[in-house]
RNA sequence: GUGGGUGUAGCUCAGUGGAUAGAGCACUGGACUGUGGCUCCAGGUGUCGGGGGUUCAAAUCCCCUCACCCACCCCA
């Protein structure tokens, strides 16, 4: 019989690791709740076209990495490769978008991309993200980055910084895109094959290319800052001001563009500990709600890659103190069957093993499970109407009478 | 999609053509039938990833294949 192994790109989170995940999840959710964010839960499955329209059909995420298939009725559906599209869809569909106010939403869950797995990258991976709808004020851009900054501080991460840039509003972005297209068309022969194709499909992405020849080629090209309208310039300036006021460490990278088509104006990425990969990234998407059939509502958000974040966080798990119940003999086992549930009913953690027969093997088991105390009940104890509690660390033992024993046990926990 | 590395016991890994394939940890039993950890003794640890080939002889060399890891692309 062949053993089953996990499907490529999938991973288990085993019990010891779950404690770390839960710790980080708690830091994340509690932080964003203090900023006024409320959780939204959307399906893992959406219409394929939702992602095509939001992220962009030409993007790598859609063209190469989407988990898409037809269901039994022939509908084109896809596993979500990111969270924003679904949240925007729900924001519109639920009617939340009708109310004129700022909405702050957060989400958490698995995303799917058909990538080649490697360090910090999985086909099913977890993202924690936030979206803020209803204002294009640049201080909101600053606020979400500052919140991210607070999160990395709370998790005690070292050596981190933000890369920020602006792509301009839709007009500026398109104008700049045309300028780049024109500039690079004349120099097409110096570009890599991918970038030659991108001249037509997504010229801005060429700025992000790591190929040295491409870098050299566009190094003389105009930067976005040169062609922005006044509003966009002011927007970015105010955003930077907000970051400075809150001591957020950042660098402007005029070549920072994002792999998703929907971004406008502010974009940013968070790098930690000299890692190559960003652990969080986001930006503003002022026209996405409208593009997906909703009203003209601006928004800004980010997503954190959980696996990448978790690999950088130091955490030493602490277990709640608990008892191991050792019952020897039939009488004792019956007494123990009552006591163990009386204790658990008082929220006192107790483990036992019904199979073990000798005191020696019970104590071995208590030791193995890491119990703080072992409660010992044998025939002698039944006769004397009292039982033994052994401290597993010191070896010290005390006896406690069966009547009103709960309070004595509780004293040990203090 | 491209390139590189690695697959041997439950886990971490030795073993580069030669005998019945090894170590540590873990596991099971015993020394120790009412006191765990420590020590000592004994014991399974096995399709050497799978298939084919070369050879008197293959974990070892060759080919194919699969899986995992790393890097590129891209992304979080």
């Amino acid at each position: 019989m062949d053993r089953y192994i996990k499907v490529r790109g999938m991973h288990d989170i085993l019990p010891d690791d779950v404690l770390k995940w839960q710790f980080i999840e708690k830091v994340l959710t509690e932080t964003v709740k203090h900023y006024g964010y409320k959780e939204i839960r959307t399906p893992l499955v959406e219409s394929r076209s939702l992602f095509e329209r939001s992220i962009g059909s030409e993007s790598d995420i859609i063209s190469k990495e989407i988990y898409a298939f037809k269901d039994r009725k022939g509908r084109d559906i896809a596993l979500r490769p990111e969270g924003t599209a679904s949240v925007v869809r729900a924001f519109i569909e639920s009617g939340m978008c009708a109310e004129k106010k700022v909405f702050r939403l957060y989400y958490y869950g698995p995303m799917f991309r058909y990538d080649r797995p490697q360090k910090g990258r999985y086909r099913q991976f977890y993202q924690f993200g936030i979206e803020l709808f209803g204002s294009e004020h640049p201080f909101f851009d600053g606020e979400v980055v500052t919140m991210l900054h607070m999160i990395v501080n709370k998790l005690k991460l070292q050596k981190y910084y933000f890369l920020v840039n602006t792509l301009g509003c839709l007009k500026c972005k398109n104008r700049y895109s045309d300028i780049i297209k024109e500039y690079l068309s004349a120099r097409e022969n110096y570009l890599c094959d991918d970038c030659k194709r991108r001249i037509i499909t997504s010229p801005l992405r060429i700025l992000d290319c790591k190929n040295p020849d491409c870098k050299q080629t566009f190094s003389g090209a105009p930067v976005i800052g040169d062609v922005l309208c006044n509003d966009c310039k002011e927007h970015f300036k105010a955003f930077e001001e907000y970051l400075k006021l809150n001591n957020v460490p950042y660098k402007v990278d005029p070549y920072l563009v994002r792999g998703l088509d929907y971004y406008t104006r502010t974009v940013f990425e968070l790098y930690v500990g000299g890692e190559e990969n960003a652990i969080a990234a986001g930006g503003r998407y002022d026209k996405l709600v409208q593009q997906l059939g909703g009203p003209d509502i601006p928004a800004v958000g980010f997503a954190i890659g959980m696996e990448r974040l978790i690999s950088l966080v130091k955490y030493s798990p602490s277990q709640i103190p608990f008892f191991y119940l050792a019952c020897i003999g039939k009488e004792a086992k019956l007494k123990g069957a009552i006591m163990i549930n009386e204790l658990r009913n008082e929220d006192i953690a107790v483990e036992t093993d019904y199979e073990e027969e000798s005191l020696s093997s019970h104590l071995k088991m208590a030791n193995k499970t890491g119990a703080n105390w072992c409660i010992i009940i044998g025939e002698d104890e039944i006769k004397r109407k009292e039982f033994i509690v052994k401290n597993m660390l010191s070896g010290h033992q005390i006896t406690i009478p069966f009547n009103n024993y709960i309070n004595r046990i509780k004293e040990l926990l203090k």
Side-chain angles (χ1 to χ4, degrees), chain A residues 15-39:
Chain A
D16 285 349
D17 293 330
V18 168
L19 296 174
K20 188 175 183 181
W21 279 73
Q22 287 171 335
F23 162 72
I24 291 168
E25 286 160 5
K26 196 173 171 191
V27 171
L28 293 174
T29 54
E30 287 187 354
T31 304
V32 303
K33 278 178 187 168
H34 287 127
Y35 277 81
Y37 286 84
K38 291 180 177 166
E39 185 176 4

Side-chain angles (χ1 to χ4, degrees), chain A residues 49-78:
Chain A
S49 58
L50 172 66
F51 300 121
E52 288 175 345
R53 254 205 288 196
S54 55
I55 301 165
S57 304
E58 298 299 331
S59 69
D60 289 282
I61 292 177
I62 298 300
S63 62
K64 303 198 312 206
E65 297 171 1
I66 191 104
Y67 266 99
F69 49 94
K70 286 189 191 293
D71 70 8
R72 288 169 182 271
K73 279 274 175 81
R75 288 176 281 245
D76 274 313
I77 57 178

Side-chain angles (χ1 to χ4, degrees), chain A residues 59 65 111 120-121 134-135 185 192 208 215 235 262 294 307 319-320 327 329-330 350 370 407:
Chain A
S59 69
E65 297 171 1
M111 307 294 164
R121 174 187 302 184
S135 172
S185 292
C192 69
D208 205 29
K215 278 189 170 180
H235 186 98
Y262 53 66
E307 286 83 356
Q319 205 169 14
I320 60 165
C327 298
K330 196 178 175 188
V350 192
N407 286 332

Side-chain angles (χ1 to χ4, degrees), chain A residues 27 36 43 142 216 262 324 336 412:
Chain A
V27 171
Q216 175 69 28
Y262 53 66
Y324 179 93
L412 291 171

Side-chain angles (χ1 to χ4, degrees), chain A residues 207-236:
Chain A
L207 301 182
D208 205 29
C209 187
K210 310 293 187 296
N211 184 301
D213 291 339
C214 296
K215 278 189 170 180
Q216 175 69 28
T217 307
F218 63 67
S219 62
V223 291
I224 181 77
D226 300 338
V227 302
L228 289 178
C229 68
N230 276 334
D231 283 352
C232 285
K233 276 181 188 161
E234 289 299 319
H235 186 98
F236 193 60

